[in-house]
Amino acid sequence: MLHAPPLGALLRQYAAGSALTCEPVDQGLLNRGYRLCTSRGRYFLKHHFDPETADPTAIERRHRATQRLADLGVPVAPPLAARDGRTVAVVGGHVYALHPWIEGRHRHGGQLSTEQCGRLGALLGVVHASLERVMPAHTRRRTEPAEGADPADTFALIDDLLARVRRHRPADSFDELARHRLLERRVLLERHADRRPPHGGSVGWVHGDFHPFNLLYQGDAPAAIVDWDRLGVQPRAEEAVRAAMIFFVRPAGTLDLSKVRAYARAYRRTAGATPSQLAAAVHRVWWERLNDFWMLRWHYERGDTRADPQFPAASALAVWWTREYDAVCEAFSD
């Protein structure tokens, strides 16, 4: 097993018994997870590997936040405390945390009924409202979100990526699709360059990465929201829109707008968000998607292909969304 965690040294820090089995969990692009069975139970062992989120002090702050959310009844899986009371273990310069194992499965929007989509939106609204309650007031930052991406920078990035596509050998079907989408996106940006959004509105505490792989279901009910590594202060309505684009995108790159509508209505009710706030968030996230090529940058700049399976639907969505812009806005704000 690659990157095997130091189980002996880790478990000595916890009252969790001795290791019986330890299996990697496949999901996750940035950190590493393991299903750990010991003589005392089953656990999820997380290796905080991403340098941007692996600071032990920051991780412990996020852990305290999830515990306070759990106390309010939000479905989360707070970590276990080690013998010294800390929830982060550092062994050999690597950072780990031990969580209870939550039995469940991930579900995307196509597997949810319209009623369940409403429950999903309500859950995210509860998360946002609860975070405002549990995060200390002195840490709240009321900064303005940045202005939307500059299309001039995006045009330069498109040119660079097209050059990388041309140089890639042997050429394959991914290269062909990437070239098509890059040229298509350049035309769209030229056509809509005057729609760059201004600075955004109000911000608040958000999960930061709310998508199907970070939500576990038991039957029809959400059992645990996991992976709070991106917890921070961001535009809340934009997280609601981004999450919908991941949950409800179909393989062909369209959205199920009836499910989006149910989700958005429930979110607005529980989060206290207004239709105009959701409409503004739709515009900002649409512009963000038009200018964003992170999957292609991973593929061509890093040689990292883990996000490749997401690219066909995600790249088609930006095109469809532009064509159906008014219908998407209406679904979020109706």
Side-chain angles (χ1 to χ4, degrees):
M1 179 173 59
L2 295 177
H3 309 293
L7 296 179
L10 277 170
L11 290 176
R12 282 195 293 271
Q13 299 190 34
Y14 293 89
S18 55
L20 301 177
T21 62
C22 183
E23 302 172 348
V25 175
D26 291 337
Q27 284 94 356
L29 294 179
L30 297 176
N31 292 303
R32 298 168 182 156
Y34 303 88
R35 179 173 179 164
L36 175 62
C37 293
T38 78
S39 56
R40 294 194 178 180
R42 293 183 298 168
Y43 304 92
F44 176 72
L45 176 63
K46 183 166 184 175
H47 178 187
H48 289 269
F49 185 73
D50 180 18
E52 292 186 13
T53 59
D55 174 64
T57 302
I59 294 170
E60 289 202 327
R61 284 198 298 267
R62 296 193 292 269
H63 287 170
R64 289 193 293 270
T66 58
Q67 183 59 63
R68 292 192 290 266
L69 288 173
D71 293 341
L72 292 179
V74 178
V76 294
L80 304 178
R83 297 179 188 276
D84 61 2
R86 299 188 62 186
T87 56
V88 173
V90 181
V91 179
H94 295 277
V95 183
Y96 302 90
L98 192 64
H99 299 257
W101 180 263
I102 305 296
E103 200 63 53
R105 63 190 183 103
H106 305 291
R107 304 182 71 181
H108 58 76
Q111 298 170 312
L112 302 177
S113 68
T114 301
E115 180 182 355
Q116 290 167 341
C117 293
R119 292 179 67 182
L120 177 66
L123 175 62
L124 183 57
V126 167
V127 167
H128 287 173
S130 299
L131 283 170
E132 287 298 296
R133 291 179 58 186
V134 305
M135 299 306 287
H138 70 273
T139 65
R140 291 178 183 159
R141 295 183 291 115
R142 295 299 177 187
T143 54
E144 288 294 315
E147 190 176 13
D150 186 340
D153 295 334
T154 307
F155 290 137
L157 175 59
I158 289 173
D159 289 341
D160 177 71
L161 287 170
L162 283 169
R164 291 174 183 270
V165 172
R166 286 193 296 270
R167 291 195 299 268
H168 185 256
R169 293 290 183 275
D172 55 26
S173 59
F174 188 91
D175 297 327
E176 182 179 358
L177 178 60
R179 181 179 181 277
H180 170 73
R181 292 303 188 196
L182 286 163
L183 293 173
E184 181 180 52
R185 195 75 63 82
R186 185 160 62 189
V187 171
L188 285 177
L189 278 168
E190 288 170 348
R191 188 177 302 157
H192 297 283
D194 60 340
R195 298 177 66 184
R196 182 183 183 186
H199 292 283
S202 62
V203 298
W205 288 97
V206 299
H207 175 274
D209 202 18
F210 193 80
H211 59 69
F213 284 147
N214 285 338
L215 180 59
L216 286 166
Y217 278 82
Q218 290 178 349
D220 292 338
I225 305 165
V226 300
D227 194 355
W228 292 80
D229 290 347
R230 302 291 176 180
L231 174 67
V233 177
Q234 299 290 336
R236 294 194 303 174
E238 290 179 29
E239 171 158 87
V241 174
R242 288 191 193 95
M245 296 305 150
I246 304 173
F247 272 98
F248 303 119
V249 65
R250 294 160 164 162
T254 64
L255 293 176
D256 187 327
L257 293 182
S258 64
K259 291 186 174 183
V260 169
R261 182 174 287 103
Y263 160 93
R265 284 176 175 172
Y267 172 78
R268 295 198 313 267
R269 182 178 66 252
T270 53
T274 66
S276 62
Q277 287 173 329
L278 266 293
V282 167
H283 184 70
R284 288 184 62 82
V285 179
W286 164 75
W287 182 260
E288 175 186 277
R289 288 297 184 92
L290 274 187
N291 287 269
D292 182 44
F293 296 95
W294 74 268
M295 295 178 192
L296 292 184
R297 297 191 74 171
W298 274 34
H299 183 98
Y300 291 105
E301 295 178 7
R302 300 185 185 184
D304 189 330
T305 60
R306 288 176 295 168
D308 285 6
Q310 303 175 39
F311 180 69
S315 59
L317 176 60
V319 181
W320 178 88
W321 189 351
T322 302
R323 186 172 65 247
E324 302 294 335
Y325 180 89
D326 291 339
V328 175
C329 273
E330 191 270 340
F332 277 95
S333 58
D334 174 40

